[in-house]
Amino acid sequence: MRLRPPHHFVPLGAATALLLSGLLSGLLSGCADSAQPETADRRSASKTPEERKTPAPGSGKPWEPDDAMQRAERALDAYEEDGSAAKLSDSGSAHLADGVHRTFQAPGKRWYRLDLTCDTSGERELTLTLTRGSAEQAYGIGCGDPEADQFNVPPGAPFTVRVDGVRTGSGLVLWRLNTVARDDVDGCDDDIEGCDG
């Protein structure tokens, strides 16, 4: 067996020493660059196109799908403590470009309450159309509102919910269809037939 000396030095040539010196200098200057505060131009240039999103209306912040989903869910949850003992019948979401076109069955004796909201990067209002038979009503839905819009539909024949898609925008539409006791119906009894005053 051959023993190695405890310290084995390899002589460096001038070219190798110069190369190591240049690498060390580059590493140190990279650290100095990263210590400098980022300017708005540098931050923007370092982001991918997906990260450079348009601001949410009125917020000055970029519109992000995950944040939008959370805001929309909070708007739907705003009525959880209204004392109506609502029972969930159906729920869903749709991309703004696709819109919503759903027909719901409405059997039983309990009223149906549609809670609907939207959150988008450019549209402030969408149009909701409720249809049952020959009766039809259109409503404006404010996007980004802290509380979802609510619509009452009495039990009976199936009814259709339509929100036309917007191809030029980014966003989502969320809805929940609940049933409530007749005594818990707030506002108009039938938002498809409509109510005066």
Side-chain angles (χ1 to χ4, degrees), residues 30-143:
C31 291
D33 284 349
S34 67
Q36 295 175 356
E38 273 194 276
T39 63
D41 291 341
R42 285 182 63 186
R43 282 192 302 267
S44 178
S46 67
K47 290 185 177 182
T48 65
E50 184 61 25
E51 292 172 320
R52 289 180 284 221
K53 300 199 182 287
T54 47
S59 72
K61 296 181 181 177
W63 186 88
E64 297 284 347
D66 291 340
D67 295 341
M69 181 67 81
Q70 290 177 8
R71 284 190 300 268
E73 286 175 349
R74 280 195 301 269
L76 290 174
D77 292 342
Y79 297 106
E80 281 186 347
E81 304 298 323
D82 68 355
S84 64
K87 294 181 182 177
L88 183 65
S89 175
D90 198 349
S91 65
S93 64
H95 293 287
L96 181 63
D98 298 331
V100 177
H101 193 278
R102 295 282 309 265
T103 298
F104 297 103
Q105 302 299 314
K109 295 182 179 179
R110 289 171 62 90
W111 252 244
Y112 289 80
R113 189 186 74 202
L114 176 69
D115 298 346
L116 190 136
T117 189
C118 51
D119 198 293
T120 73
S121 67
E123 300 295 322
R124 295 197 178 275
E125 186 176 278
L126 300 179
T127 300
L128 163 72
T129 305
L130 298 173
T131 308
R132 177 183 260 166
S134 61
E136 182 175 280
Q137 289 288 335
Y139 296 94
I141 304 296
C143 294

